[in-house]
Amino acid sequence: MSFINENFMLKNETAKEIYAAVKDLPIIDYHCHISPKMIAENHKFKNAYELFLGGDHYKWRQMRTNGVEEEYITGERDDFEKWLKFAETMPYLIGNPIYHWTHLELKRYFGIEEELSPKTAKDIWDKVNSMLETDEYRVLGLIKKSNVEVICTTDAPHDTLEYHKQLKDLDVKVIPAFRPDLDNLGDDITECMDYFHENGCRLSDHAVDKMDDDIIEKLVFLGEEYAKRGWVWQLHIGALRNNNSRMFEKLGADTGFDSINDFQIAEGLSKILDSLDKKNMLPKTILYTLNPKDNYVLGTMLGNFQGGGIKGKIQFGSGWWFNDQRDGMEGQMKALANLGMLSRFVGMLTDSRSFVSYTRHEYFRRILCNLLGKWVEEGEYPKDMEMLKKIAQDICYYNAKNYFGY
């Protein structure tokens, strides 16, 4: 595969040198949607379709756009037929990150150099399926291959955490993260927090899809509770979910029918953070926006509430969902660099349900190093390689390790 080479996305010599210092660092995946049950059971994937496309609504969206009928995506057709339809779609994805992600996955996990297309689909299917028969390609083997040190799953408040309890002796830390529904917190919400805390949770996550008075009040309450427990919280702001009601009724949520919302966030977000700060109860906070129009809103909001001797206490989260591609990642990092401190950024996360999506960390690291190298070679920062490597290593690993205490 000629285009996925050692210098992929690294367009200058400084970038290449910086990347060499970060490429082998472990991964702290502090937000994802993978299944703790699949980890506990060391799940064996039955074929390439299940591994690469099972539950991956990013890829489903593009197949639909390419005219693939739903029966070949989420329907009753057999898995090889679905794989062929994905292979037919792949060559048309020029400029789409899924083209890069898929080929990184094929190369890094299976050593496959060929581009996926109708011509290569059967050979790749057979090779992947053959390798999936071995223990090395069960879930725990894939995690080991990925050099993952910490996985934070996303778990509902009433989850029993039974699978997390089975995973305490693994080399990788698998830690629950608390994800309540803001529309229905429940009277026992603090008891649920206590239970999660007893089972190792130190991180929460919230989908903030609107910013009305009720949501603001609930977030202030939750933020205070997290501060009491020493947790970090994440606010994912700006999704408009389940737009296609017909398909939502047929397939449910998280099936590829969501988009970016454009509601106003600045005033409500300021109220939340200020209300907590006034009480000295503002926890470490990571803010994500799905709408790039709000990059500078978040970039400036961070600076209002930093302090307490904590480096980067209020974080601008990585380019999320529709923004976890080159332009989105660069836009987020440039906004952070222009308005705050990119060097204190806690870096990338997968936000994925796939056990081969850890290549997105490589993708991010290459984009980061290329951006740093560009600034240096254009004369905007000295070529202090020791400092440049430290900044990149911190963003890719050490900042998250220190911030979360892992």
Side-chain angles (χ1 to χ4, degrees):
M1 189 181 304
S2 59
F3 78 99
I4 302 283
N5 54 45
E6 62 179 339
N7 296 324
F8 175 59
M9 302 192 88
L10 302 173
K11 300 178 182 179
N12 56 73
E13 293 305 313
T14 305
K16 296 171 188 176
E17 190 172 348
I18 299 170
Y19 180 68
V22 303
K23 66 184 182 70
D24 295 324
L25 288 172
I27 288 171
I28 294 177
D29 195 22
Y30 56 88
H31 176 69
C32 71
H33 296 277
I34 62 174
S35 164
K37 180 177 187 288
M38 292 175 74
I39 302 174
E41 296 176 349
N42 195 18
H43 180 78
K44 180 179 179 180
F45 294 93
K46 65 178 180 177
N47 56 42
Y49 173 82
E50 184 190 9
L51 179 63
F52 284 91
L53 285 148
D56 194 335
H57 54 80
Y58 285 59
K59 293 169 182 171
W60 296 350
R61 283 172 69 97
Q62 304 314 321
M63 292 171 73
R64 292 176 186 127
T65 302
N66 200 42
V68 176
E69 295 178 358
E70 197 65 31
E71 62 183 313
Y72 291 96
I73 303 172
T74 61
E76 298 301 319
R77 292 288 183 166
D78 72 49
D79 288 353
F80 180 62
E81 290 179 292
K82 293 176 180 178
W83 175 257
L84 285 177
K85 291 296 184 181
F86 179 54
E88 289 173 11
T89 299
M90 186 59 58
Y92 292 96
L93 288 173
I94 185 170
N96 190 295
I98 290 172
Y99 193 81
H100 291 157
W101 295 346
T102 301
H103 288 104
L104 280 169
E105 291 163 4
L106 287 169
K107 183 165 185 175
R108 296 296 178 242
Y109 292 100
F110 299 95
I112 293 173
E113 299 280 346
E114 296 81 15
E115 287 83 12
L116 180 59
S117 71
K119 293 179 181 179
T120 62
K122 180 62 165 61
D123 286 345
I124 291 175
W125 171 265
D126 289 341
K127 183 172 184 178
V128 169
N129 289 350
S130 174
M131 296 172 80
L132 289 177
E133 287 297 315
T134 67
D135 286 348
E136 186 181 355
Y137 287 88
R138 295 172 79 117
V139 160
L140 292 178
L142 292 171
I143 291 172
K144 184 177 181 180
K145 279 180 179 291
S146 305
N147 195 22
V148 182
E149 188 173 283
V150 178
I151 297 171
C152 292
T153 58
T154 302
D155 308 283
H158 292 98
D159 195 298
T160 64
L161 305 181
E162 60 178 302
Y163 297 111
H164 294 86
K165 293 174 184 178
Q166 298 174 29
L167 296 170
K168 292 182 178 179
D169 296 327
L170 290 181
D171 292 335
V172 61
K173 293 181 181 177
V174 182
I175 302 170
F178 193 67
R179 174 69 175 255
D181 178 357
L182 291 177
D183 289 327
N184 184 24
L185 290 182
D187 295 335
D188 62 346
I189 192 69
T190 57
E191 295 173 20
C192 294
M193 289 181 201
D194 290 339
Y195 180 74
F196 268 64
H197 192 88
E198 290 166 8
N199 285 280
C201 177
R202 298 294 183 272
L203 181 66
S204 72
D205 174 58
H206 303 279
V208 183
D209 297 341
K210 54 188 175 182
M211 195 74 80
D212 57 27
D213 289 343
D214 179 58
I215 293 297
I216 291 170
E217 182 180 353
K218 288 175 178 176
L219 285 171
V220 170
F221 162 74
L222 290 167
E224 190 169 339
E225 292 296 325
Y226 299 146
K228 291 176 185 176
R229 293 165 175 79
W231 289 14
V232 179
W233 69 338
Q234 303 172 93
L235 304 182
H236 282 85
I237 305 168
L240 187 63
R241 302 175 193 270
N242 306 318
N243 293 268
N244 188 322
S245 57
R246 176 179 60 84
M247 295 304 289
F248 175 69
E249 290 174 8
K250 180 178 179 181
L251 300 176
D254 302 320
T255 51
F257 300 96
D258 309 303
S259 60
I260 294 170
N261 208 336
D262 60 355
F263 62 92
Q264 300 300 308
I265 70 168
E267 186 175 352
L269 184 57
S270 179
K271 285 180 180 178
I272 293 164
L273 300 178
D274 185 54
S275 296
L276 292 165
D277 187 72
K278 281 192 295 187
K279 302 175 185 178
N280 197 27
M281 295 297 285
L282 178 59
K284 290 180 182 176
T285 304
I286 306 177
L287 304 172
Y288 307 81
T289 177
L290 198 56
N291 196 325
K293 79 175 178 62
D294 292 321
N295 279 356
Y296 275 61
V297 173
L298 295 194
T300 52
M301 191 66 69
L302 306 176
N304 298 329
F305 299 100
Q306 302 287 14
I310 301 171
K311 295 174 181 177
K313 177 181 178 179
I314 315 299
Q315 288 279 327
F316 184 1
S318 182
W320 164 48
W321 200 343
F322 296 114
N323 297 310
D324 60 357
Q325 28 74 12
R326 181 179 56 198
D327 290 349
M329 290 179 187
E330 285 189 351
Q332 179 267 342
M333 288 190 282
K334 287 178 179 178
L336 178 54
N338 279 327
L339 302 168
M341 293 185 72
L342 178 62
S343 58
R344 297 304 181 196
F345 175 36
V346 293
M348 184 59 174
L349 57 146
T350 62
D351 192 32
S352 174
R353 291 166 175 79
S354 170
F355 285 93
V356 291
S357 65
Y358 293 110
T359 51
R360 295 183 196 177
H361 283 260
E362 176 184 342
Y363 199 61
F364 167 84
R365 290 173 180 184
R366 289 178 177 274
I367 291 166
L368 167 67
C369 293
N370 190 68
L371 182 60
L372 296 176
K374 177 177 181 290
W375 287 336
V376 169
E377 299 211 356
E378 291 181 354
E380 298 178 19
Y381 189 89
K383 193 169 183 178
D384 179 346
M385 292 309 302
E386 182 179 358
M387 189 65 190
L388 288 163
K389 289 177 182 179
K390 182 182 187 316
I391 289 171
Q393 289 171 337
D394 285 347
I395 293 170
C396 293
Y397 174 67
Y398 291 104
N399 285 347
K401 188 174 183 67
N402 294 328
Y403 188 78
F404 297 104
Y406 299 145

